[in-house]
Amino acid sequence: MPILFGYFAHLQMSTVAISHLSKSFSSGLFRKSNIQALSDVSITVSKGEIFGLLGPNGAGKTTLVKILLSVVHPTSGTATILGQPMGSTGIRERIGYLPENHRYPSFLTAHQTLLHFGRLQGLSKHFLSSKASELLRVVGLEEWSRVKIKKFSKGMLQRLGLAQALLNDPEVLFLDEPTDGVDPVGRKEIRDILKGLRSAGKTVFLNSHLLSEVEEISDRVAILNKGEVLSVGTIRDITSHALEYEIRLGIAPSEPVLQKIGALSRSLETNQLTLTLALHAKEDLNKILQILLQEGMSIESVMPRKSRLEDFFINLIRTRENP
Ligand SMILES: Nc1ncnc2c1ncn2[C@@H]1O[C@H](COP(=O)(O)OP(=O)(O)OP(=O)(O)O)[C@@H](O)[C@H]1O
Ligand SMILES: [Mg+2]
């Protein structure tokens, strides 16, 4: 019972708590078939963190965010945002949303765009005229505020989108592919803005298929594939399951020793006195160290190797598809 109580208390404290969400879409005109866009997704996001939802195209990232914003109805499951059921009145005013592939009327200036969207959200003209200038400064578009957005680059449009999502000074931001189509310099600028928002205490829920991007900025990530959450945690936590180690030896190992070790490993690379290996199971590390000691090798150090999220991601999805 105390464990259950702890679990519910944790859900209540979470800024976003998603519990067993599933969504199927029916497709096909004559022969109806179902697309399972989300299957039993449960994720929690804490206040003040940047949470990255990662997944390949079609994984269900946009569907999940649209459900949280009540644009799409789930087939089953629930979620709370800021402690209240999603879709509750009053929640909309406390969250910001940057949709995927957003388009703004190209004849408006950056400043006019913010006024237009702010008015649609019910914000007053008086409040908006100073808020729009402040936000254009935050996203680095101050000098472009009176320029028509048809002249804007993709990076500038995404920064304007961020400003639009911030108009109501939201506590939680949902950003769907905020750096899509943006060049590396523009991506870095957007990352810096997001870090600034985190420092200001905002919670950011970020959808992306750009792994390196998410790796750079997110406090925690979830990996979504074909509607299923394959892994959730800090980058360090989830990549530590990759079971990759670097062993430094005092003397170079002989070919027969390498063969014995290779037989126990998923992969083995040698570089003079350093062995880099990926294992099938954690227990195999001890077996390998025993072999090395029995063979008279002196072991200088054993270090878990920091695996890149991208390698981990590709392996995880491959293993799922060809178990
Ligand atoms: N309105 C809809 N009707 C039918 N199928 C849909 C609908 N919206 C999404 N889907 C399907 O649901 C699955 C998940 O789509 P979704 O757009 O959520 O993926 P995504 O992870 O955001 O992909 P991307 O990285 O390409 O943006 C896909 O197979 C998609 O075709
Ligand atoms: Mg999407």
Side-chain angles (χ1 to χ4, degrees), residues 58-115:
K61 305 179 296 294
T62 297
T63 304
L64 181 58
V65 165
K66 283 188 176 166
I67 289 176
L68 295 176
L69 291 154
S70 303
V71 179
V72 166
H73 288 290
T75 308
S76 59
T78 55
T80 60
I81 300 176
L82 295 161
Q84 296 187 45
M86 57 183 175
S88 315
T89 42
I91 281 293
R92 205 60 198 253
E93 288 90 76
R94 297 170 67 193
I95 60 185
Y97 175 38
L98 173 65
E100 179 178 54
N101 305 323
H102 60 277
R103 297 272 177 277
Y104 297 131
S106 61
F107 53 85
L108 295 179
T109 65
H111 198 266
Q112 286 167 338
T113 305
L114 294 186
L115 295 192

Side-chain angles (χ1 to χ4, degrees), residues 175-212:
L175 309 175
D176 200 348
E177 309 278 0
T179 58
D180 205 23
V182 181
D183 67 22
V185 176
R187 292 214 293 266
K188 163 92 173 66
E189 286 167 358
I190 291 175
R191 283 202 302 271
D192 289 343
I193 297 169
L194 298 187
K195 285 179 189 166
L197 295 173
R198 171 173 55 194
S199 306
K202 300 203 186 294
T203 307
V204 180
F205 190 106
L206 174 73
N207 273 1
S208 182
H209 58 260
L210 294 171
L211 290 119
S212 52

Side-chain angles (χ1 to χ4, degrees), residues 121 168 255 271 292 294:
Q121 288 178 45
N168 53 344
E255 198 49 44
N271 183 4
L292 289 170
Q294 276 161 9

